[in-house]
Amino acid sequence: MIDKTAKQVGEVSVPEKGWIASVRRALGMSAEQVALRKGVSRNAVYQAERSEKEGAVSLKQMEQLAKAMNGRFVYAIVPDGRVEDIKYRHALRKAQNLAKSDPEITSLPADERQDWIEDKAAELLHDFPPSFWEPE
């Protein structure tokens, strides 16, 4: 589900004036009209528009304003790539760090060391220890 959602919204960027103002203007609604539908003052709508641009608008406000403009608010965290790829890259880094700290592994020929790292990464992904995401 995460990968599918990320693919769908991955290219979405915030409009220069923010979502509230951009959608309101696209619909041809005044701040007062949105305010009446939401049950707040016109200044509250303008304040929400400013807050959104500053990153200080609440999710609840966004949801209510979207509803007042006949829309729905969508909130998502979009990973930088497929979830399994992110986990695999992290497992590889952890395995590489483990290899560097083990004299027995560092003394192996490069191809055997690489095999050990790949096997260790696979093991980490399979076992997924509680410490998987802890900093090295």
Side-chain angles (χ1 to χ4, degrees), residues 80-106:
D80 292 329
R82 289 182 48 242
V83 170
E84 289 305 314
D85 293 341
I86 292 168
K87 289 165 51 177
Y88 179 69
R89 284 192 306 269
H90 188 74
L92 271 178
R93 279 193 301 275
K94 282 188 86 71
Q96 288 166 343
N97 287 335
L98 288 169
K100 287 177 190 174
S101 64
D102 187 332
E104 189 177 317
I105 304 305
T106 56

Side-chain angles (χ1 to χ4, degrees), residues 30-51:
S30 68
E32 189 167 342
Q33 290 167 327
V34 173
L36 285 170
R37 295 168 66 102
K38 187 177 181 258
V40 297
S41 71
R42 177 184 65 206
N43 285 340
V45 173
Y46 287 134
Q47 179 58 46
E49 289 177 358
R50 284 189 299 277
S51 293

